[in-house]
Amino acid sequence: MMELPFKIDLKGQTAVVTGGSGVIGGMFARALGLCGASVAVLGRNMTNAEEVASEIREAGGDAQAFACDVLDKESILACRQAVLDKWGHINILLNVAGGAVKSAQIPQDQFADCAGDMLNFFTVDMDNIRRELDLNLYGTLLPTQIFGEVMVNQANANIVNISSMGAYAPLTRIPGYSGAKAAITNFTEWAANYFAKSGIRVNAIAPGFFQTAQNHALQFNEDGTPTERSRNIIRATPMGRYGEPEELLGALLFLVNPRGSAFVTGAVVPVDGGFHCFLGV
Ligand SMILES: NC(=O)c1ccc[n+]([C@@H]2O[C@H](COP(=O)([O-])OP(=O)(O)OC[C@H]3O[C@@H](n4cnc5c(N)ncnc54)[C@H](O)[C@@H]3O)[C@@H](O)[C@H]2O)c1
């Protein structure tokens, strides 16, 4: 099990983590488990979700995997009922399910011409862009609507969404993903206001660039040298390096801590080595 940057006390609280079967969601679920929360690890891939839940239990925590598709209202409602049947209440919701859809990526940074059969903005299938918008935006709004309904006036009720650097200014090649994440930042602020008097805080984390298995092909050529995109990312990151996924944990623990951030809502915390505030000159 991993090391936490610091521990907080979440005993007696139930946390629901969408995308808990993924890299960041799994790590967040383990972290909340180590802090004493009962953790509902949600995933479409039950094998991975089960693995995360059993690791939490082996470390002495309380967790269970639940099947949940964040785009399917019935699936979320059934999951909510199952979580309430097990623990009786929900305090924390982490909306982590999401990501870029490969077939919605436009391979060039800038348009040059329409020659050849290379995919470009004029030929990309808008259905793929729509799937990306749905997964990231609707996949955050719908769980917030369904789980949020039973979080009103619960102790330490709070929601953490995952935005991205693409929310500050669009990243090249991924217009759908960048637009969806900008909308998540906007929704985080909207919901913070909407729920402010009902006891639910709503914040977000905006991760910068991390070296993870699923980013490997974008970051490194087959011979192990960094891609041009990778060099651009490092150049645009004042700290001059990729982040380690564990470096997201401090922001998460701060935002869900009833003692640390009780007056913080509508905040989007960048964890990015300075990327969001550097224009290159
Ligand atoms: N890894 C990064 O560098 C990075 C940077 C910025 C933001 N993010 C965001 O962090 C979040 C997690 O990313 P990750 O790197 O852990 O990716 P990941 O692919 O490991 O995890 C994403 C998870 O979402 C799940 N998911 C996808 N569609 C779903 C659906 N319809 N219903 C339920 N679950 C679904 C996947 O099964 C997977 O478990 C995403 O929102 C991503 O956009 C990641």
Side-chain angles (χ1 to χ4, degrees), residues 19 21-24 44 68-71 96-99 135 162-163 177 181 207-208 210 214-215:
S21 52
V23 175
I24 294 176
R44 284 180 316 171
C68 183
D69 181 338
V70 294
L71 297 177
V96 188
L135 169 60
I162 306 296
S163 184
Y177 181 77
K181 292 297 191 180
F210 292 81
Q214 77 270 36
N215 291 339

Side-chain angles (χ1 to χ4, degrees), residues 105-113 115 117-123 171-175 229:
Q105 278 181 26
I106 292 156
Q108 314 84 12
D109 283 354
Q110 291 185 324
F111 182 75
D113 58 48
D117 55 6
M118 201 169 182
L119 189 67
N120 62 49
F121 179 70
F122 298 115
T123 56
L171 299 172
T172 57
R173 305 186 188 191
I174 45 176
R229 190 171 179 81

Side-chain angles (χ1 to χ4, degrees), residues 193-214:
N193 168 56
Y194 187 71
F195 290 122
K197 292 203 170 69
S198 57
I200 308 178
R201 297 186 295 112
V202 188
N203 295 293
I205 294 171
F209 295 85
F210 292 81
Q211 212 170 306
T212 57
Q214 77 270 36

Side-chain angles (χ1 to χ4, degrees), residues 159 185 188-193 201-204 263-269:
I159 297 172
T185 286
T188 299
E189 295 173 350
W190 179 87
N193 168 56
R201 297 186 295 112
V202 188
N203 295 293
F263 199 48
V264 178
T265 194
V268 180
V269 181

